[in-house]
Amino acid sequence: LRGLLAKHSLLSSGLIDSAEGMPASSAYRNRFGSLLRAYQLAGYRPDRDYGFLEINRTLGRLHPQFLDDVVRQLGGVGAQVTRDAATDLLVINGEYTASMVLSRCRQTAGGLLRWMVRIDQALVPDITILVRMDATNQQPADYYLLPIMDIAAPKLLLCESNGVHLDTYQFDTLDYFTLMAQRRKIEEAA
């Protein structure tokens, strides 16, 4: 990589893959954990900040943990939950479906916080549990329970305050979501 960098003054996966006598870029990813780590070891610092890639990897690791927590909470109130192993779609009490999306926090140049959200249109869950991460992307800041019937666009850009159309679905915890699944006996009228 150092030799390739000396010849071209920049590195990219395309350049690495087209260079003769070099391993494929995927080999560097596998060996060093990421292409960025291999770049660092070779002394290359890209102009663009790729820190978001590590955040995305962290969120990818957190997603199953967060989903397990939701399944546990639902079970704690007596809900029956089925989880599709391939899609992580939850079927709750055999009545409605939910999926979970973690959205990383991005800070604008002016210091404002933003969250880009992509709703999985292929799953079509009844409710999308949106986890907005805090400014450090380590913990949830809050949650949105987005019903499919009210979310028309597959992509949303959320701000700290989004108006009543979206903030109606904002919650500090998932207690409301959990309690929606709780079964209650209804007394017979005599």
Side-chain angles (χ1 to χ4, degrees):
L1 282 180
R2 286 187 186 119
L4 191 61
L5 178 61
K7 288 180 189 174
H8 296 278
S9 74
L10 63 92
L11 294 174
S12 71
S13 60
L15 181 64
I16 293 168
D17 290 340
S18 65
E20 288 198 29
M22 291 195 64
S25 60
S26 60
Y28 290 100
R29 277 189 203 95
N30 291 333
R31 173 70 171 89
F32 298 104
S34 73
L35 216 50
L36 287 176
R37 178 71 182 130
Y39 289 171
Q40 286 175 332
L41 293 171
Y44 177 59
R45 305 283 181 262
D47 290 338
R48 184 174 176 199
D49 178 14
Y50 287 97
F52 69 92
L53 293 175
E54 185 57 38
I55 294 169
N56 288 351
R57 276 192 288 277
T58 299
L59 295 182
R61 287 190 301 269
L62 288 174
H63 185 270
Q65 296 170 19
F66 286 7
L67 203 55
D68 288 344
D69 288 345
V70 168
V71 171
R72 254 191 310 283
Q73 290 172 17
L74 290 167
V77 297
Q80 299 293 320
V81 182
T82 306
R83 181 174 174 179
D84 184 291
T87 64
D88 282 333
L89 186 70
L90 304 178
V91 179
I92 302 160
N93 293 328
E95 298 169 350
Y96 60 98
T97 59
S99 69
M100 179 178 279
V101 175
L102 275 59
S103 182
R104 83 179 147 88
C105 182
R106 303 166 190 186
Q107 196 166 29
T108 67
L112 301 173
L113 303 181
R114 298 289 184 263
W115 295 264
M116 176 62 74
V117 182
R118 287 182 179 78
I119 306 294
D120 191 339
Q121 296 282 310
L123 288 180
V124 194
D126 296 310
I127 298 173
T128 296
I129 305 165
L130 167 62
V131 182
R132 284 198 320 180
M133 299 303 287
D134 66 8
T136 66
N137 287 299
Q138 299 298 314
Q139 297 292 321
D142 57 21
Y143 305 86
Y144 279 71
L145 302 177
L146 302 171
I148 191 70
M149 66 182 144
D150 286 349
I151 306 302
K155 290 183 183 178
L156 300 171
L157 178 62
L158 297 182
C159 305
E160 293 171 73
S161 180
N162 301 287
V164 71
H165 174 69
L166 287 172
D167 287 348
T168 298
Y169 303 115
Q170 181 183 18
F171 298 89
D172 292 331
T173 68
L174 287 176
D175 293 347
Y176 182 80
F177 178 75
T178 302
L179 291 175
M180 285 189 332
Q182 188 175 28
R183 297 291 190 168
R184 307 245 180 195
K185 287 187 177 186
I186 299 176
E187 298 292 324
E188 266 187 63

